[in-house]
Amino acid sequence: MIILMKVLKFGGSSVAKPERIKGIANILKDYYKRGEKFAVVFSAFGGVTDYLIKMSSAAANGEESYLDHFNSFSKRHIDSVNELFIEGDRKDILLELKNNHDVLKGLLKGVFLVREASPRTMDYVLSFGERNSNFIISHYLRKEGINANYLDARKVIKTDKKFGAAKVDLDTTFNNIQEYFTNHPEIQITTGFIASSKGGLTTTLGRGGSDFTAAVLANVLNAEKVIIWKDVDGVLNADPRYFSDTKLIRQLSFTDAIELAYYGAKVIHPKTIQPLKEKKIPLHVRSFKNVNKSGTIINSESCNNKNPSYIVKENQVLISISDLELSFIVEEHLSYIFMLLSNFNITINLMQNSAVSFSICVDNHSYKIPLLI
Ligand code: ADP
Ligand code: ASP
Ligand code: MG
């Protein structure tokens, strides 16, 4: 039987630089010294996933510059190892990184040659971000005295083959995680965002999906709490990058949190709430910069927050659909439109219909929208 533990999740911004990794290690050392039981999920170093997308797009477009991007990706990780470890401790870590980077380089060369980065290849490419960060950080935590073990989530989290937004197979994943955690009592440092299909192909859970990884682990392990550490004080009533006088929301119900996340409050991934709500596991969103601040608690209690929330979504496309003969937009037309949107895996952010037209606002997926139209 597994005893109650906390699941802690640190996103890309909390590990964007080696100094930040050192700060996070101090937070974790406090948990460790108190004898707490916890598992940790890390994202890729801040900006790395975008960078991996950039290098594969360059390779797919036949641009030799993909190699420059690859070299800076590689250098960024090697530099952090050099900064986090003294010379004598680096050799094995750098060797393993080099082996991994050689595989990535070969993969990108393939993309460059065939001029195509399929969703399947993309998921594999993107997995190098989380694998690198968790591998380096787990070594660092061991050096700092924490009994940490690197867990590649592809070993335990199983999904279908919907590359880019894979759906978790909860039954298999449940058994795998239970078994793994029972046999590995160390502090598990787990790659967020990535998983694998039954046949062993690498999949990803959707952008920002490391929060969801933490929620899946917590659900299976019946965790006491999930703590997501952010560069903001908690869930605010708007994104501080756009608004200057934001207010902290101290408590939110699971339902309100789902609404906020679904409509794009980037602070939590929308899929995160459901696995927690199911087991009534509270989610604490707090700041790694201001550790004394109390943050936001998301739980089953209803909330009476009266402040309106604001969500800004950039890069939107407005699509208006009408019948050439200006006939009315009836249910039959709508159901056909919705079917097409679902086939292309495009989510509607806003919609409005008039008698003869139907308008939707969707994210500007550069490759999906022209195909849809
Ligand atoms: P991480 O790297 O930890 O995954 P993200 O950059 O994905 O972090 O998310 C944190 C950012 O989310 C904040 O810096 C903030 O700009 C933005 N954000 C958007 N909406 C909100 C909100 N309602 N409350 C707090 N932060 C928000
Ligand atoms: N690294 C992934 C991304 O940038 C997952 C995450 O950060 O949660 O989307
Ligand atoms: Mg994120």
Side-chain angles (χ1 to χ4, degrees), residues 128-140:
F128 284 85
E130 266 68 13
R131 283 156 59 202
N132 265 2
S133 64
N134 281 270
F135 171 72
I136 295 171
I137 295 169
S138 59
H139 270 281
Y140 182 69

Side-chain angles (χ1 to χ4, degrees), residues 103-227:
V103 175
L104 175 61
K105 197 173 177 183
L107 206 61
L108 291 167
K109 187 170 183 193
V111 170
F112 178 76
L113 291 175
V114 299
R115 300 286 197 267
E116 194 204 350
S118 67
R120 171 175 158 176
T121 304
M122 280 312 292
D123 274 4
Y124 189 36
V125 168
L126 297 191
S127 75
F128 284 85
E130 266 68 13
R131 283 156 59 202
N132 265 2
S133 64
N134 281 270
F135 171 72
I136 295 171
I137 295 169
S138 59
H139 270 281
Y140 182 69
L141 294 176
R142 274 204 291 285
K143 177 175 91 76
E144 292 296 294
I146 297 178
N147 184 16
N149 176 56
Y150 166 65
L151 169 57
D152 183 333
R154 294 177 302 171
K155 273 192 192 155
V156 288
I157 302 185
K158 291 288 162 184
T159 64
D160 63 10
K161 286 189 188 158
K162 200 166 178 198
F163 298 104
K167 191 163 176 270
V168 174
D169 169 350
L170 278 174
D171 291 339
T172 320
T173 301
F174 184 93
N175 293 334
N176 290 348
I177 294 179
Q178 285 272 344
E179 195 189 319
Y180 194 90
F181 276 73
T182 307
N183 295 326
H184 296 82
E186 311 92 340
I187 307 291
Q188 298 303 326
I189 308 303
T190 317
T191 54
F193 179 55
I194 66 172
S196 71
S197 70
K198 278 208 182 101
L201 296 173
T202 300
T203 56
T204 62
L205 307 174
R207 290 303 308 271
S210 301
D211 294 348
F212 183 50
T213 305
V216 169
L217 278 186
N219 177 296
V220 171
L221 298 167
N222 284 314
E224 174 199 345
K225 194 179 188 183
V226 172
I227 307 165

Side-chain angles (χ1 to χ4, degrees), residues 45-154:
F45 294 164
V48 160
T49 307
D50 287 332
Y51 210 61
L52 286 164
I53 293 176
K54 194 170 156 187
M55 73 183 81
S56 350
S57 309
N61 289 333
E63 294 160 18
E64 305 251 3
S65 63
Y66 85 88
L67 268 176
D68 300 333
H69 298 318
F70 165 79
N71 288 332
S72 4
F73 163 90
S74 182
K75 184 172 180 301
R76 177 163 174 197
H77 291 92
I78 292 168
D79 285 351
S80 15
V81 172
N82 288 336
E83 212 164 317
L84 291 170
F85 300 88
I86 53 163
E87 208 175 334
D89 293 341
R90 289 178 199 151
K91 200 169 144 242
D92 292 346
I93 307 171
L94 289 176
L95 190 68
E96 173 115 14
L97 270 190
K98 187 187 176 303
N99 289 341
N100 267 340
H101 291 177
D102 286 348
V103 175
L104 175 61
K105 197 173 177 183
L107 206 61
L108 291 167
K109 187 170 183 193
V111 170
F112 178 76
L113 291 175
V114 299
R115 300 286 197 267
E116 194 204 350
S118 67
R120 171 175 158 176
T121 304
M122 280 312 292
D123 274 4
Y124 189 36
V125 168
L126 297 191
S127 75
F128 284 85
E130 266 68 13
R131 283 156 59 202
N132 265 2
S133 64
N134 281 270
F135 171 72
I136 295 171
I137 295 169
S138 59
H139 270 281
Y140 182 69
L141 294 176
R142 274 204 291 285
K143 177 175 91 76
E144 292 296 294
I146 297 178
N147 184 16
N149 176 56
Y150 166 65
L151 169 57
D152 183 333
R154 294 177 302 171

